[in-house]
Amino acid sequence: MEDLIPSFLLKQDSPDSFQLKGKRVRTPFLEKGMEHLGEIVKIAYAQWNAASKEGVFQKIDARIKLLFLLFFMTIISLKKDIESEIWIGLLVLLLMALSRLNLLHLYKRILLFGMVFGFLVALPSALNLFKEGEILLPFLSFSRSYQLWIYSLPETVGVTREGVYGLGMITLRVVNSLSLTFLLLYTTPFPEIIRALKLLRVPDTFLMVITLSYQYLFLFSKTVEEMHLAKRSRLLKEPKSKEARMWLAGRMAFLFRKTRLRADEVFRAMVSRGFSDTIKVYQVKTLQPHDWIAGFSFLCIGSLLLWK
Amino acid sequence: MEINETQKIREKIICLEKVSYNYQNDISALSEISLEIVKGERFAIIGANGTGKTTLLQIMNGLIFPSKGRVFFKGSEISKETLKDKGFLSFFRAKVGYVFQDSDVQLFCPTVLDELLYGPLQLEIGEAEALDRAFEVMEMLKIEPLKSRPTYMLSGGEKKKVAIGSILTINPEVLLLDEPTNGLDPKTQCSLVELMLALNEAGKTLVIATHDLSLVDELQATTAILSEDHQIERVGSAMNVLGDQDLLLRVNLIHEHIHRHGDVTHRHLHSHYLFHRHERE
C-alpha cells in the first residue's frame, strides 16, 4: 500500500499559516434553509418537553382536548364579530399560561404564520377593488371608474372600513386556529393524539399515514442535517448561490430515491412483523372526573360564545 | 521515541479545552472534554454507542460548536466567528478532512471522478494537476474502473473508498474518520487499515472515532476513552487502555457473555476482540 501512496500526499502543499482576509463568508439563503430543516428535531423535543410539564391542559385526557379543538375551531369559523375572536384568543392565551408554556416563543411563531397566511393573503381585500365600502384611506384617484370584463376599477381606490374589519377577522381567525393547534400539540404527546384519534373512530389508514409521516420527518430531518454538514466540511470557499441550487437539486433527487427505498423497506419490515391494517390500542384509560369537568366547562364557554 | 513536553506543545495540532456540548440545549452529549492531538499522531476516540464520539469529531471539524469550552487548530480558535473569515475557512478546510460514517450523505457529485475532483477544483488547483491527483488516488484505492459511475450505483465498500478518496485529493494534514470500518467486509476493512497506516506514515494525522477495539489495536493509536457520562475516562496508549478490563467493562465496551460448546455452557468477558478467550486457553 505504501508504494502506491501518490507523491502529492507525501508533501504538504497548502500553506502552514493563513492570513485573515477580513472578508466574511456569506451563507446563501438555501444553505440557511437546510440548517433550519435540521431543527425539526429540536421543535419536536420542545413539544415533548412542554407536554411532559405539570400544567392544567397537560392533565386533561387527549380525547377531551381533541373535541375541544374541533368545537372551538368550528366556533372560530362561525363567529362573524371581532369581539368573539378576541375573547377566544384570550381564552387560549390563558390556557397556555396555565399550562406553563413558553408564551413568547409560541406567540412569535403563531404571529409570524398569522401574518403570512392571514394578514398578507387577505390584505388586498381591504381595498375597494373587490367590495365597495366607506373609504378610510384613499390611494389612487382616476377621472372616472373603469370596467374590465368582470373587474371594476372605482374612481377612487383606497382602504375601506369594511375591508379593514374583514382583514382583522381573517387574521384573528388564523391566529386563533393556530393558537388552538399549538396548545394541543405542546400539551399532548404525539402517541396520545393518535390514540385519541383512534378512540374517536378516525380511520386506521389515515392514522397510519400520519404516524409514518411523522416518524419519517425525523429521519428526513436527520439525513438533511448530515448532508448539510458533509457539504460544509468539504467547502473550501464561500458557497455560491448557483452551486447551492445545483447541490440542492441533486440532493433532492437523492432523497427522493432514498425515500422510495426506505418506504419499501419499512413496508417489508411491517409485513414481516404481521402487519394488518388495524391499529390496536391498549390500556384505554377511562375519563376521570377532572376530564369531565374540563369538557363540560369548555362546552359551556363555547356555547356561551356561540349564543352571544 | 519519547517526545518531550516542549516538543509536544510545539507540535499540538488540535486542542480542546473543557468542551461541553448539549443537544436541544438540554441533553448532554459531551461534558468537559480536554484533549491534545499531536501532529502525525494516530488518535482513536472510543466509547459505547451514544457517548459522543461523532459529536466530538464534528466539533473538531468546526461543523458544530461547543456549548462551553474552546477548540483550537494549530493555535487558532475554531469558532463560528473565525470560520466566517474567508482566509481562515479555506486554510482550515484544506487542512482538515472529515470522512462521515454514512458515505451516502457525503457523496453529492454526479460521478466518482467528479467527486474526487470537487476538492482540488475548489482549491483552485489547475485542471491537469487536479486530474492527476484524482487518477493517482483512484489507482491507490483501486477504484479506477468506477470513475464514470454515479455514486448511488456503488456498493457500501466502494462508497467508503470514494468518500475517503474525495478527501484525500484535497491532501489534508489531518484526517477525521468516523467509524471507518463500519459495515465493511473483512477484506475491505483490512485494506482500509493498511491505507490508514500508510497515510500516517506519509505524515497525516489520523483521528478515528470507533467502537471497534481491534481497529484501535491494529493502529496502535493513542486512545481516548469516553464514558457513558460523556466524559473522558482515560487517555493512553492502545496497550494501556485495551489491557484494562475493568475500565472497558465500566464504559460498556466489553461485557459478560454466556455461550455453549457442545454440552458445556460457560461464561467469559466478551468484546468481539481481545477478551474472547476461553479460560483453558
Side-chain angles (χ1 to χ4, degrees):
Chain A
M1 183 62 78
E2 272 176 59
D3 305 337
L4 286 170
I5 293 275
S7 54
F8 79 89
L9 282 175
L10 298 172
K11 55 182 188 229
Q12 201 51 58
D13 46 12
S14 58
D16 215 30
S17 61
F18 66 97
Q19 279 194 323
L20 285 173
K21 290 195 174 168
K23 287 182 185 168
R24 312 276 286 171
V25 177
R26 281 172 299 157
T27 316
F29 176 73
L30 283 174
E31 294 268 330
K32 282 184 191 158
M34 298 291 281
E35 272 177 29
H36 290 146
L37 253 179
E39 284 176 8
I40 289 175
V41 180
K42 204 172 173 178
I43 294 166
Y45 179 77
Q47 282 177 355
W48 172 78
N49 206 17
S52 46
K53 277 183 187 168
E54 281 284 312
V56 169
F57 218 62
Q58 284 91 333
K59 284 182 185 157
I60 301 170
D61 190 278
R63 284 166 285 184
I64 300 288
K65 286 191 264 190
L66 269 173
L67 290 173
F68 159 77
L69 176 77
L70 288 173
F71 185 40
F72 272 73
M73 284 282 199
T74 315
I75 297 172
I76 288 168
S77 310
L78 290 176
K79 293 307 285 184
K80 289 193 168 75
D81 60 301
I82 284 189
E83 200 188 348
S84 302
E85 296 292 342
I86 291 173
W87 279 115
I88 295 170
L90 289 174
L91 173 71
V92 181
L93 177 68
L94 178 72
L95 286 171
M96 280 188 175
L98 290 173
S99 306
R100 299 171 63 203
L101 300 183
N102 185 342
L103 296 179
L104 192 69
H105 169 75
L106 281 179
Y107 272 94
K108 250 174 26 185
R109 296 174 64 197
I110 290 168
L111 291 176
L112 176 74
F113 286 123
M115 279 295 128
V116 175
F117 298 108
F119 186 78
L120 289 180
V121 168
L123 190 59
S125 70
L127 303 171
N128 59 344
L129 291 171
F130 306 99
K131 201 177 170 187
E132 285 180 12
E134 183 195 336
I135 294 177
L136 293 176
L137 186 65
F139 280 149
L140 284 170
S141 288
F142 302 102
S143 53
R144 64 180 183 86
S145 61
Y146 296 91
Q147 188 73 30
L148 300 163
W149 189 36
I150 55 167
Y151 304 104
S152 63
L153 193 63
E155 201 177 316
T156 308
V157 177
V159 176
T160 64
R161 183 183 297 280
E162 293 77 3
V164 169
Y165 193 81
L167 181 64
M169 270 300 294
I170 292 171
T171 309
L172 276 174
R173 276 181 179 170
V174 174
V175 168
N176 282 344
S177 305
L178 282 167
S179 320
L180 276 171
T181 315
F182 274 55
L183 174 64
L184 178 82
L185 289 176
Y186 275 81
T187 53
T188 322
F190 183 74
E192 286 297 315
I193 297 177
I194 294 296
R195 189 195 276 253
L197 286 170
K198 165 78 184 171
L199 295 170
L200 293 172
R201 313 252 173 224
V202 173
D204 284 356
T205 317
F206 185 66
L207 297 181
M208 279 283 185
V209 171
I210 299 178
T211 312
L212 289 175
S213 307
Y214 186 76
Q215 304 236 359
Y216 181 69
L217 207 62
F218 295 103
L219 281 175
F220 176 77
S221 152
K222 185 81 191 146
T223 313
V224 170
E225 190 185 15
E226 280 186 355
M227 283 185 330
H228 172 66
L229 290 181
K231 166 88 187 307
R232 206 201 274 174
S233 79
R234 287 174 69 189
L235 211 62
L236 287 109
K237 54 186 182 184
E238 188 176 60
K240 299 250 170 24
S241 285
K242 190 184 167 193
E243 283 170 16
R245 282 199 301 277
M246 283 173 68
W247 176 79
L248 193 70
R251 295 283 81 187
M252 277 163 73
F254 163 77
L255 276 174
F256 179 67
R257 202 169 43 244
K258 195 156 178 151
T259 304
R260 279 187 54 193
L261 291 172
R262 173 77 67 172
D264 286 346
E265 279 173 21
V266 169
F267 182 71
R268 280 187 211 127
M270 284 162 79
V271 170
S272 78
R273 288 174 64 194
F275 167 69
S276 66
D277 54 356
T278 49
I279 294 176
K280 303 266 191 291
V281 283
Y282 56 93
Q283 288 185 328
V284 179
K285 284 183 203 157
T286 50
L287 294 177
Q288 300 296 307
H290 69 264
D291 296 321
W292 288 109
I293 293 168
F296 184 69
S297 310
F298 293 143
L299 185 69
C300 290
I301 296 167
S303 308
L304 195 71
L305 282 164
L306 273 175
W307 174 69
K308 208 172 87 39
Chain B
M1 191 179 77
E2 285 287 319
I3 298 169
N4 67 40
E5 206 52 39
T6 338
Q7 266 179 308
K8 197 173 171 180
I9 291 166
R10 192 158 48 85
E11 293 179 356
K12 269 190 302 197
I13 197 157
I14 293 175
C15 183
L16 279 80
E17 284 179 4
K18 292 190 171 180
V19 165
S20 298
Y21 186 84
N22 298 326
Y23 282 105
Q24 274 74 258
N25 304 322
D26 191 19
I27 305 165
S28 174
L30 293 173
S31 176
E32 303 262 319
I33 303 285
S34 294
L35 278 180
E36 282 176 6
I37 297 171
V38 178
K39 190 175 177 177
E41 196 171 17
R42 293 185 300 275
F43 197 94
I45 300 157
I46 61 170
N49 289 337
T51 47
K53 303 184 292 289
T54 300
T55 308
L56 192 53
L57 276 198
Q58 291 189 348
I59 284 178
M60 285 181 191
N61 198 223
L63 298 175
I64 53 175
F65 301 96
S67 315
K68 268 194 265 172
R70 299 164 85 190
V71 190
F72 296 90
F73 175 72
K74 292 196 164 196
S76 303
E77 188 170 1
I78 308 164
S79 68
K80 229 179 215 174
E81 273 310 299
T82 53
L83 282 174
K84 275 184 183 162
D85 183 90
K86 285 182 181 178
F88 184 65
L89 178 82
S90 302
F91 167 76
F92 179 68
R93 293 274 175 245
K95 290 277 179 197
V96 185
Y98 186 4
V99 180
F100 278 69
Q101 185 177 351
D102 179 4
S103 309
D104 265 337
V105 300
Q106 195 175 340
L107 307 174
F108 52 80
C109 297
T111 65
V112 170
L113 182 60
D114 293 331
E115 211 53 78
L116 300 185
L117 286 174
Y118 180 82
L121 291 179
Q122 273 207 96
L123 278 173
E124 287 169 10
I125 291 170
E127 198 180 308
E129 197 191 329
L131 278 164
D132 282 348
R133 279 189 180 196
F135 278 94
E136 282 178 68
V137 166
M138 280 195 287
E139 196 185 333
M140 175 180 70
L141 297 171
K142 299 187 179 70
I143 51 172
E144 219 175 337
L146 309 173
K147 66 175 187 292
S148 321
R149 245 199 243 177
T151 46
Y152 57 81
M153 285 175 69
L154 305 175
S155 69
E158 288 167 343
K159 277 181 193 167
K160 183 66 92 185
K161 283 181 181 174
V162 176
I164 293 173
S166 70
I167 299 302
L168 288 181
T169 50
I170 301 171
N171 191 16
E173 209 173 316
V174 181
L175 276 167
L176 307 174
L177 300 124
D178 192 0
E179 301 284 5
T181 52
N182 232 13
L184 300 180
D185 60 59
K187 194 182 164 205
T188 317
Q189 277 189 29
C190 202
S191 59
L192 190 60
V193 171
E194 278 179 33
L195 173 68
M196 285 192 276
L197 287 170
L199 288 169
N200 181 249
E201 200 63 31
K204 309 287 174 209
T205 308
L206 299 181
V207 184
I208 297 149
T210 186
H211 51 230
D212 180 355
L213 302 184
S214 56
L215 175 66
V216 179
D217 186 41
E218 280 178 87
L219 291 175
Q220 279 300 304
T222 306
T223 307
I225 190 159
L226 283 173
S227 70
E228 288 180 318
D229 299 331
H230 316 285
Q231 290 175 327
I232 294 277
E233 193 74 24
R234 185 187 294 173
V235 181
S237 66
M239 204 183 289
N240 173 273
V241 172
L242 298 179
D244 190 338
Q245 284 192 31
D246 291 336
L247 172 69
L248 296 178
L249 261 174
R250 203 162 59 238
V251 295
N252 273 332
L253 277 169
I254 58 170
H255 56 94
E256 199 167 57
H257 174 67
I258 305 169
H259 71 166
R260 291 180 71 86
H261 287 279
D263 294 334
V264 184
T265 305
H266 74 166
R267 68 176 62 212
H268 55 82
L269 290 173
H270 185 56
S271 71
H272 303 274
Y273 153 65
L274 276 181
F275 301 100
H276 197 152
R277 290 195 199 113
H278 303 144
E279 275 169 22
R280 63 179 164 207
E281 282 174 1

